[in-house]
């Protein structure tokens, strides 16, 4: 007999594997590597470090002689700016030139790449890893040791996030990690902590808004069942407002400053969607040319109404019958609704539904096993452009080897996978016809959209059906 | 078979991820060999000096390169161009050469599979994992760049044949291996295959030229970075004595230049201790083998052939002339085949592999790979420790012994001595990375590397002594329990 295996030891082992995979991915290229004049997200993040450590806070979001907003102007909320500041200080300590004002534009070297990669790994270790461990400890408390270790591995080794953060180069691990932490707090019924963490997540990347309906409706539903519902709502509202006030403190001195920051965060001018994203607007655009048909203003309203219509069922369900599992499903459904219908969605936004999909992996294994390959495939053209073809296939293969044995697929599922694989090959090997240069991108978007739509309908059904089952058992308990 | 394929595929994913990592000059060396074997007629292979990286592996390896170069010429003709290909390291060249190492590793998997045929499933799985995820192979082959996995695969094939009593087949495969990489030539080689391999070169009257390339006695006793063997201890002792003597007021000839770990620093003159000649090293290797050879002569056991080979390579590594630190793979990988034969073996293997693989660390000195090599070794050792203690506690349980006792035994099996030695290794590493810079800024640059060599050599020596002594043990192998299936 061996000693009872400890969750902590296993968690450390898995975390070490997860760090190793991140570092290995980081050996490869990043967005816009060696591609002047605008480079890519790597340069954007570096540029924000340069700005924040060299300019006063009041100039971070303003167009000045030292801050050309046309060149990767800061367009995320203040927490991203503070994070850039901290990382900028780190970079300056080890490689001063990499963040020097003006002269560091497009700065790329082996040394600074290693340092930049480390800032992401450290962010991951500081926020995402503890949040994931806290979540597993809270939500899967009743499960066996093996199952908890397994689901932790799924979360920490989830390939889509690794490829975007440590390949393409972004800090989604921070906003998503904070959101996971908030979800863990909701599950542990630490509502104020949840509000604070979620507000922080929103203040790091406005995309966390995709989760807001789930948090709002669940916490509202919980509050309504308390003795003093209004008081409870006020309490949570105060937590949210004070966190926001703290994050926005340097900009709160004037209305103008606040509006200036806000104007940077709302990308109306960037169009209904970008590139080939597997959402409703982009796919239906093949038949209906939305952008030519309607002006931007109308499209924004249309997108808003469509999104609202799609998140309402989930919200309603959580207000009426708040439950932990229902909350996670609501997070999943609402973020997918935003991904499908909201304005200006990027391929990378698929990470937002992927996170709750992974958190639910033990409860909804079928959803998870289709979601991850689908999400990876929807980002395939983007990752190929970034020069991440090899890590893409390596991580995809590792996913099938380590988590979902290919043997476990039935013939129909296998042929669907095969279809996806053929599309990958076509994209890589075939030249598209001159009339439709983006033919294969469109194919890939449509193919994955079909997956996502099916998953979305299924999980909405699950959210309602499951809660009904639960409530009937609850009734039975009451009778006993 | 299925398990092996899954593990191999996982390892291959890691290798693919490692593709853009640092590669040593061996990358260009092998590229140049592709160019030589592709562009020149056979009689020019061992003569050509267009590049400084001349062909210095035996003929079969040259033919292996010839085979690869046929594909390389189709993939990207510039790779096999003798002059235009010089220092060519484009993405396509990188992909081809790295890919060729990964594909050649299939020989390793084949050898592993054929050696493990007929083992109990849980034991087989463990042996697979121990070999497939070896950090040494990852570091040397897939980062540093060499083809050891392929060559060791041939060794495993030969061992598998010998174990099954197919002496002739095993011998022939082994001889072929020697013709791929002569460093394997520690055991007896079969003349016929050697004649076959060297035949064409004998015909062209170039045997001398080939041999001169293969055996670099012109080089020093130790490689630039000392392999963790007896000579690392010897060098360190000499250095320490010379400092002592100087302090005592004696005049010693200063040889600091020889120590400073330059690129190919040749270490030939000692300050205090007597010099070592190739003959001495040869005599020491041979005499360390004698007790075992005698025993094998008295009672040869095919099932124990892996022990023989492991010990032979260990002796060669301990006392050989101009041994590379990479050569530790030659006994660690065969050892891994018998690592789970007994609890003692498992402990020794866990200890020895950690020490030897740690001694490979200085091969990779650039920043991106640093955390990777540390994590890979830590994860491997932890995984082995967990798997071994799991495997043996289950086994002991099965025999119905006292459970709590068995568990305690398997958990603390490494012992206080070895555990504290391994902990000391962490201190050495921390000193080399951080402490040295503060204590001796800009001075004694050789010291961290010397410490790693000397410290690791103690660990390897400890294991070697145990194996050496077992050659004298009164127990004959016939009385030992046979290796369990």
């Amino acid at each position: 007999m061996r000693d009872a295996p400890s969750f902590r030891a296993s968690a450390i082992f898995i975390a070490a594997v997860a760090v190793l995979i991140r570092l290995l991915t980081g050996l490869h290229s990043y967005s816009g590597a060696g591609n002047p004049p605008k480079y890519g997200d790597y340069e954007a993040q570096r540029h924000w470090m340069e700005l924040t450590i060299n300019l006063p806070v009041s100039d971070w979001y303003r167009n000045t002689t030292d801050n050309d907003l046309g060149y990767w102007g800061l367009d995320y909320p203040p927490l991203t700016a503070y994070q850039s500041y901290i990382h900028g200080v780190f970079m300056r300590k080890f490689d001063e030139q990499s963040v020097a004002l003006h002269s560091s534009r497009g700065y790329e070297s082996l040394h600074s790449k290693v340092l930049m990669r480390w800032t992401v790994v450290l962010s991951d270790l500081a926020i995402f890893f503890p949040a994931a461990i806290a979540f597993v400890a809270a939500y899967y408390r009743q499960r066996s040791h093996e199952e908890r270790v397994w689901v932790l591995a799924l979360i920490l080794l989830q390939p889509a996030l690794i490829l975007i953060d440590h390949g393409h180069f972004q800090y989604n691990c921070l906003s998503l990690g904070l959101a996971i932490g908030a979800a863990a707090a909701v599950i542990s019924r630490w509502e104020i902590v949840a509000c604070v963490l979620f507000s922080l997540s929103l203040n790091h990347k406005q995309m966390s808004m995709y989760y807001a309906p789930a948090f709002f409706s669940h916490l509202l539903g919980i509050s309504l069942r308390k003795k003093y519902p209004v008081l409870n709502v006020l309490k949570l509202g105060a937590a949210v407002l004070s966190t926001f006030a703290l994050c926005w403190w340097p900009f709160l001195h004037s209305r103008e400053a606040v509006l200036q920051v806000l104007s940077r965060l709302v990308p109306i001018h960037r169009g209904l969607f970008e590139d080939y994203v597997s959402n409703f607007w982009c796919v239906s655009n093949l038949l209906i040319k939305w952008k030519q048909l309607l002006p931007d203003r109308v499209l924004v309203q249309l997108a808003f109404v469509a999104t609202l219509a799609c998140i309402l069922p989930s919200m309603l369900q959580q207000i009426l019958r708040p439950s932990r599992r229902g909350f996670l499903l609501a997070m999943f459904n609402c973020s997918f609704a935003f991904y499908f219908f909201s304005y200006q969605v990027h391929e990378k936004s698929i990470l937002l539904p992927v996170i709750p999909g992974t958190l639910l992996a033990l409860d909804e294994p079928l959803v998870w096993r289709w979601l991850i390959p689908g999400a990876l495939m929807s980002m395939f053209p983007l990752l190929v452009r970034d020069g991440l073809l090899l890590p893409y296939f390596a991580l995809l293969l590792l996913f099938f080897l380590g988590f979902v044995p290919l043997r476990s697929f039935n013939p129909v599922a296998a042929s669907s996978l095969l279809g996806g694989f053929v599309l990958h090959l076509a994209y890589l090997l075939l030249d598209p016809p001159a009339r439709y240069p983006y033919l294969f991108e469109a194919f890939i978007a449509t193919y994955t959209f079909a997956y996502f739509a099916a998953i979305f309908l299924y999980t909405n059904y699950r959210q309602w059906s499951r809660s009904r089952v639960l409530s009937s058992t609850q009734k039975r308990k009451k009778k006993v | 078979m299925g398990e092996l394929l899954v593990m191999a595929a996982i390892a291959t994913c890691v290798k693919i991820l490692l593709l853009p990592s640092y590669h040593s000059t061996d990358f260009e060396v092998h590229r140049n060999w592709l160019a030589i074997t592709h562009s020149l007629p056979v009689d020019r292979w061992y003569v050509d000096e267009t590049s400084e990286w001349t062909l210095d592996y035996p003929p079969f390896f040259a033919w292996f390169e010839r085979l690869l170069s046929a594909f390389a010429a189709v993939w990207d003709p510039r790779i096999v161009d003798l002059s235009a290909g010089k220092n060519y390291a484009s993405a396509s060249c990188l992909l081809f050469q790295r890919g060729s190492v990964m594909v050649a590793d299939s020989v390793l998997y084949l050898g592993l599979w054929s050696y493990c045929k007929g083992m109990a499933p849980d034991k087989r799985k463990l042996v697979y994992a121990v070999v497939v995820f070896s950090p040494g192979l990852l570091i040397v082959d897939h980062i540093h760049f060499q083809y050891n996995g392929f060559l060791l695969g041939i060794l495993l094939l030969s061992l598998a044949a010998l174990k099954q009593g197919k002496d002739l087949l095993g011998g022939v495969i082994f001889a072929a291996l020697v013709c791929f990489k002569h460093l394997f030539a520690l055991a007896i080689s079969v003349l016929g295959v050697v004649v076959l391999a060297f035949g064409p070169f004998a015909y062209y009257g170039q045997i001398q030229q080939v041999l001169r390339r293969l055996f670099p006695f012109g080089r020093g006793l130790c490689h630039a970075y000392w392999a963790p063997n007896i000579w690392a201890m010897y060098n360190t002792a000499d250095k320490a004595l010379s400092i002592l003597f100087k302090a005592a007021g004696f005049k010693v000839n200063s040889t600091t230049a020889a120590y400073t770990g330059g690129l190919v620093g040749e270490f030939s003159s000692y300050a205090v201790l007597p010099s070592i000649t190739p003959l001495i090293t040869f005599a020491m290797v041979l005499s360390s083998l004698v007790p075992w050879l005698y025993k094998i002569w008295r009672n040869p056991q095919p099932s124990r052939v892996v022990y023989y080979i492991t010990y032979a390579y260990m002796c060669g590594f301990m006392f050989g002339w101009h041994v590379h630190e990479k050569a530790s793979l030659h006994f660690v990988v065969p050892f891994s085949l018998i690592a789970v034969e007994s609890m003692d073996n498992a402990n020794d293997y866990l200890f020895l592999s950690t020490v030897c693989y740690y001694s490979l660390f200085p091969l990779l000195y650039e920043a991106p790979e640093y955390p990777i090599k540390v994590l890979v070794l830590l994860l491997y050792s932890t995984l082995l420790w967990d798997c071994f203690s799991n495997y043996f506690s289950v086994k002991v349980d099965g025999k119905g012994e006292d459970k709590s006792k068995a568990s305690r035994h398997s958990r603390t099996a490494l012992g206080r001595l070895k555990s504290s030695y391994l902990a000391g290794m962490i201190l050495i590493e921390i000193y080399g990375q951080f402490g040295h810079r503060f204590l001796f800024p800009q001075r004694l640059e050789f010291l961290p590397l010397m410490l790693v060599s000397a410290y690791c050599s103690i660990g390897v020596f400890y294991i070697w002594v145990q194996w050496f002594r077992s050659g004298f043990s009164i127990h004959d192998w016939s009385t030992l329990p046979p290796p369990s299936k």
Side-chain angles (χ1 to χ4, degrees), chain A residues 265-279:
Chain A
L265 306 185
V266 189
I268 301 277
H269 58 281
R270 286 176 73 176
L272 186 58
F273 55 87
E274 219 168 86
D275 295 335
Y276 277 83
V277 51
S278 316
N279 76 355

Side-chain angles (χ1 to χ4, degrees), chain A residues 23 52 94 100 119 122 150 168 201 222 259 270 275 296 327 329 336 363 375 381-382 397 408 421 424-425 451 464:
Chain A
L23 290 168
T52 47
F94 293 103
T119 62
L122 291 175
W150 174 248
H168 177 88
S201 172
I222 294 277
L259 286 179
R270 286 176 73 176
D275 295 335
D296 275 356
F327 161 69
L329 278 168
F336 242 139
D363 286 348
L382 170 81
L397 190 56
S408 66
F421 184 65
H424 280 88
L425 287 186
Y451 272 136
W464 281 91

